Amino acid sequence: MARQLAENCACHVTVMEERSHVAGNCHTERDESTGVMVHRYGPHIFNTNRRDVWDFVNTFAEFGAYINRVKAINRHGVFPLPVNLQTINQFFGKTMGPKEAEKFVEDLGDKTIGEPRNFEEQALKFVGRQLYEAFFYGYSKKQWGCEPSALPASILKRLPVRFNYDDNYYDATYQGIPLQGYTAIVEAILDHKSLDIILNAPFSPADTANFDHVFYTGPIDAFFEYRHGRLGYRTVTFDRGVSTGDYQGNAVINYGELDVPFTRVHEHKHFAPWEQHEKTVYFREFSKETEPGDTPYYPKRLKHDKELLAIYRKAAKTMEKTSFLGRLGTYRYLNMDQVIGETLDFAKVAQQAIFSNTKVPVFSNQEPA
């Protein structure tokens, strides 16, 4: 957003970053003991179907080709994710073809469920109890900190089942990881004569008085100092390990059993197959409820969260010169490419408002998704 305004509106833009570095949760840096490029706040694999988004990020960095091939470990063995034809055949000890497997999984589904009311019912209707318990139940309960029956059915729609041997975690047209890491991209985006960056600068609502307009990308409830209560988020913590050679043989492995406390392990040398390292660094990832002082990662968006969000959105619409955008500002589960695409679109609207001296819209999206 800052780059678009600086380039197209002939205005001066100040970027306030509360951390000691730019790039937010996609910040990358070299691990001192191994030399591996580490995704400090968890793995990020860039993927998008929007050509303009792909062209935008490639303007600021060179991307290496990368396909995310996730594995899942449960008491039955090691399997590829998303659930695909190999997963199904391996799990049930069969050699089915696509059509046979599709009919097989359809027959596994719970026919007594009409319109699924929650995540669990969506899964049981879609793939049946065996696949649900092996690949979705334990992982989801650890990730979200509640029974899957308390989660909306829409979450499962992001987890496809494929009846072929495609084990690419994403089905996007454009996929890759920047050769020099994500922080290099953000530094290049911010390298403009009309942009100033202030690090270690937490934003306060009182700061709006210092600017003609504020584009706020922090948590919307934090902007209003939590006066109506806190929105629900999950956050993650990491246990770091270092070893020689190869630790797990893959970039990401999910752990579905409840007796394993972490949700997944990521080994970062595998995110950069174009590099060679004698040592390796890996992280066990744990999910927990966000408490004061934690970094919010995943909006929970349960029923009471949406009700509280409506109150904050109503309050936001009374603001005269503030807009809310991004995952935290709009309280939606958005990936990097979605945030960039939505912001590029919103920047055009904001620029038109600036040029016509009319009010800039409050939200980068019209209504909560």
Side-chain angles (χ1 to χ4, degrees), residues 26 28 39 43-49 54 57-58 61-68 168 170-182 185 270-274 336-337:
C26 67
T28 48
H39 303 205
H44 289 75
I45 295 86
F46 198 90
N47 66 100
T48 184
N49 287 315
W54 184 243
V57 295
N58 276 267
E62 181 181 357
F63 276 69
Y66 183 82
I67 300 299
N68 195 29
N168 182 348
Y170 304 107
D171 60 1
T173 303
Y174 309 102
Q175 303 180 43
I177 291 179
L179 297 181
Q180 301 304 319
Y182 289 100
I185 293 182
H270 294 296
F271 293 120
W274 45 84
M336 288 188 294
D337 65 307

Side-chain angles (χ1 to χ4, degrees), residues 242-262:
V242 175
S243 68
T244 57
D246 195 340
Y247 176 72
Q248 65 178 9
N250 199 57
V252 180
I253 297 183
N254 289 2
Y255 286 79
E257 301 296 339
L258 287 174
D259 59 359
V260 178
F262 45 87

Side-chain angles (χ1 to χ4, degrees), residues 340-367:
I340 293 173
E342 189 171 275
T343 303
L344 290 176
D345 296 338
F346 187 59
K348 296 175 183 178
V349 176
Q351 290 161 22
Q352 292 175 354
I354 291 171
F355 285 130
S356 62
N357 197 29
T358 58
K359 189 176 186 296
V360 178
V362 176
F363 290 100
S364 59
N365 67 312
Q366 295 300 311
E367 295 295 339

Side-chain angles (χ1 to χ4, degrees), residues 323-341:
S323 297
F324 296 79
L325 59 160
R327 178 187 283 203
L328 302 181
T330 62
Y331 192 66
R332 290 176 299 152
Y333 194 135
L334 301 174
N335 293 327
M336 288 188 294
D337 65 307
Q338 295 171 307
V339 172
I340 293 173

Side-chain angles (χ1 to χ4, degrees), residues 157-170:
K157 295 177 182 178
R158 292 196 295 268
L159 304 173
V161 173
R162 298 174 182 154
F163 297 101
N164 56 34
Y165 290 102
D166 180 9
D167 64 347
N168 182 348
Y169 195 76
Y170 304 107

Side-chain angles (χ1 to χ4, degrees), residues 266-284:
H266 26 95
E267 186 176 3
H268 290 239
K269 68 189 300 180
H270 294 296
F271 293 120
W274 45 84
E275 297 183 359
Q276 299 296 320
H277 299 279
E278 292 183 1
K279 292 185 177 182
T280 189
V281 59
Y282 58 91
F283 297 84
R284 295 184 180 94

Side-chain angles (χ1 to χ4, degrees), residues 137-152:
Y137 174 75
Y139 187 90
S140 299
K141 185 174 181 178
K142 289 189 292 186
Q143 175 73 5
W144 295 101
C146 62
E147 288 293 331
S149 58
L151 297 169

Side-chain angles (χ1 to χ4, degrees), residues 122-230:
Q122 177 80 5
L124 292 175
K125 181 177 181 178
F126 197 30
V127 298
R129 183 163 296 280
Q130 290 171 281
L131 290 174
Y132 165 62
E133 291 184 347
F135 295 100
F136 301 116
Y137 174 75
Y139 187 90
S140 299
K141 185 174 181 178
K142 289 189 292 186
Q143 175 73 5
W144 295 101
C146 62
E147 288 293 331
S149 58
L151 297 169
S154 59
I155 290 179
L156 189 60
K157 295 177 182 178
R158 292 196 295 268
L159 304 173
V161 173
R162 298 174 182 154
F163 297 101
N164 56 34
Y165 290 102
D166 180 9
D167 64 347
N168 182 348
Y169 195 76
Y170 304 107
D171 60 1
T173 303
Y174 309 102
Q175 303 180 43
I177 291 179
L179 297 181
Q180 301 304 319
Y182 289 100
T183 297
I185 293 182
V186 179
E187 289 174 342
I189 291 172
L190 295 173
D191 184 13
H192 190 281
K193 63 181 180 180
S194 296
L195 283 176
D196 285 335
I197 303 96
I198 305 176
L199 300 178
N200 301 303
F203 182 81
S204 167
D207 292 327
T208 57
N210 301 324
F211 302 97
D212 294 320
H213 197 86
V214 169
F215 296 89
Y216 180 76
T217 61
I220 186 172
D221 53 346
F223 182 90
F224 293 101
E225 300 175 311
Y226 310 106
R227 69 183 61 163
H228 302 295
R230 289 179 177 267

